[in-house]
Amino acid sequence: MKKDLIGIKDLNSKEVEELLELTSELKNDPAKFDRTLKGKSLALIFEKPSNRTYVSFQVGMYELGGNSIYLGPEHIKLGVRESIPDIARTLSRYVDGIVFRTFAQKSLLEMAKYSKVPVINGLSDLTHPCQGLADIYTIKEKFGKFKGLILVYIGDGNNVCHSLLYAASKVGLNLNIATPKGYAPDPAIVEETKKIGNKTGCRIKLFLNPQEAVKGADVIYTDVWASMGQETEAKKREKAFKDFQVNNGLVKKAFKNALIMHCLPAHRGLEITSEIMDSLNSIVFDQAENRMHVQKAILIKLLAPEANGNED
Ligand code: CP
Ligand code: NVA
């Protein structure tokens, strides 16, 4: 693997497969790895709020025998008190890895450029790779395969959607994406992932009609209509996305047993109804749990690439 995990784009299909295999090992036998990162420290720099990413990295690092340090906006005052290059240079002297949740992709790339230790994207406006990897791990866990399945993403062509495009294309999982007009994913990412998909057997289709998109769905996935940083657009977006709610009517158009996914946090009653989120087919909390197992695998691959369990 490369030094940093900026996006799933950086991983080839074999590396994705190896990460998912290590994730299974970690999930099934956590004790085998409980000292693997002993003596190592991880900085968690967050410019946006978080529950899953923050807690799962912290607990994950602890379960690997390592230590983590949370640096929220109030601690580090990124770009105000100190520049990103100077933060990266300093932290590289103390810690063995940096998880960075930020707005601009440029900030993430700058952190990675000046950091001597691995930088992991904990969500940017462009992508959310840890989420995408946990999502495909969860799909593999439920179905035992990717080939022939259809994942249907309904909603905003945002960071999560972009990471699903990369993840699905790398493993040969078919992906339908339904967005309102003007909210489609980045066309360059769609083109790029379609090309990757041609080699792996992943067919990517874009729709403007969610009813059409969910036909034959094995999994239906949604995310918030207004992401962090888009709060002022919330009302406008509620109008634009009103026909894109994942509700009983829409789910009925998919395969009877289609599973329901959401990266969380969910806005019940907007992008998803409580009825669907709490239904028997909903796997949203399995998905949330798997964030931690996948991230432990990422941490081992980047911070102790030679390790095959505890070293002592
Ligand atoms: N899904 C996700 O990244 O959740 P948090 O924003 O709570 O970390
Ligand atoms: N698209 C959402 C994902 C949250 C995990 C956001 O960026 O806010």
Side-chain angles (χ1 to χ4, degrees):
M1 271 169 65
K2 290 186 177 166
K3 167 182 153 272
D4 308 297
L5 180 63
I6 301 300
I8 299 172
K9 177 189 171 86
D10 300 333
L11 303 170
N12 60 39
S13 296
K14 186 163 172 275
E15 287 168 333
V16 172
E17 206 176 292
E18 283 171 4
L19 262 177
L20 301 188
E21 274 167 23
L22 180 56
T23 302
S24 286
E25 267 194 77
L26 281 152
K27 188 168 179 177
N28 295 332
D29 189 6
K32 184 181 166 196
F33 299 89
D34 64 4
R35 294 185 304 282
T36 303
L37 297 186
K38 193 173 162 205
K40 296 203 188 278
S41 291
L42 182 70
L44 300 162
I45 308 180
F46 280 65
E47 286 198 287
K48 295 175 178 176
S50 172
N51 172 10
R52 279 144 292 273
T53 309
Y54 168 38
V55 179
S56 58
F57 264 114
Q58 241 189 349
V59 175
M61 193 63 187
Y62 171 76
E63 287 189 1
L64 292 169
N67 173 50
S68 57
I69 301 131
Y70 174 71
L71 297 164
E74 70 285 5
H75 297 106
I76 207 144
K77 297 208 188 303
L78 201 125
V80 177
R81 187 167 182 269
E82 209 168 9
S83 71
I84 291 179
D86 286 351
I87 291 170
R89 289 180 181 115
T90 306
L91 288 178
S92 298
R93 304 286 179 115
Y94 301 136
V95 300
D96 302 280
I98 297 171
V99 173
F100 188 22
R101 169 167 285 197
T102 188
F103 293 88
Q105 193 69 5
K106 200 171 141 267
S107 304
L108 189 65
L109 295 175
E110 200 174 24
M111 186 72 81
K113 181 174 171 193
Y114 290 95
S115 167
K116 294 239 180 304
V117 298
V119 172
I120 299 168
N121 178 358
L123 180 148
S124 66
D125 289 347
L126 190 69
T127 62
H128 193 4
C130 299
Q131 184 68 55
L133 289 166
D135 295 340
I136 55 168
Y137 178 79
T138 308
I139 291 172
K140 184 82 183 282
E141 192 176 45
K142 301 293 174 191
F143 292 90
K145 61 171 188 178
F146 293 119
K147 289 274 173 260
L149 296 179
I150 306 179
L151 166 63
V152 180
Y153 178 90
I154 307 281
D156 188 19
N158 60 14
N159 46 7
V160 168
C161 179
H162 290 153
S163 284
L164 287 175
L165 275 162
Y166 281 114
S169 71
K170 300 275 175 175
V171 299
L173 169 67
N174 296 316
L175 180 58
N176 290 355
I177 298 173
T179 61
K181 201 157 177 273
Y183 293 95
D186 182 332
I189 296 181
V190 174
E191 268 324 293
E192 184 188 351
T193 51
K194 273 188 177 172
K195 275 191 196 136
I196 303 169
N198 284 340
K199 293 191 195 127
T200 60
C202 148
R203 187 192 37 64
I204 292 164
K205 283 193 195 168
L206 299 195
F207 295 79
L208 293 172
N209 180 341
Q211 315 274 336
E212 284 293 315
V214 292
K215 279 185 195 156
D218 296 287
V219 184
I220 301 174
Y221 193 123
T222 191
D223 182 15
V224 292
W225 293 339
S227 285
M228 291 179 278
Q230 297 174 332
E231 289 78 6
T232 56
E233 292 177 36
K235 283 287 158 226
K236 182 182 120 194
R237 284 172 170 264
E238 272 179 40
K239 272 196 204 133
F241 285 85
K242 69 176 183 359
D243 296 330
F244 288 73
Q245 184 184 63
V246 174
N247 55 30
N248 204 20
L250 187 64
V251 169
K252 267 197 198 143
K253 308 255 175 208
F255 274 149
K256 200 163 160 266
N257 287 322
L259 299 181
I260 305 298
M261 296 180 81
H262 191 310
C263 57
L264 306 179
H267 294 131
R268 291 166 180 259
L270 289 181
E271 76 274 3
I272 191 165
T273 58
S274 276
E275 185 186 15
I276 293 300
M277 181 143 153
D278 299 330
S279 66
L280 287 175
N281 284 355
S282 168
I283 55 168
V284 300
F285 296 107
D286 295 337
Q287 202 185 337
E289 178 190 330
N290 285 335
R291 287 290 305 278
M292 186 176 78
H293 304 300
V294 165
Q295 287 161 200
K296 285 168 80 176
I298 295 168
L299 288 170
I300 291 176
K301 290 276 184 195
L302 295 183
L303 273 54
E306 304 308 322
N308 179 29
N310 292 331
E311 296 299 285
D312 53 0

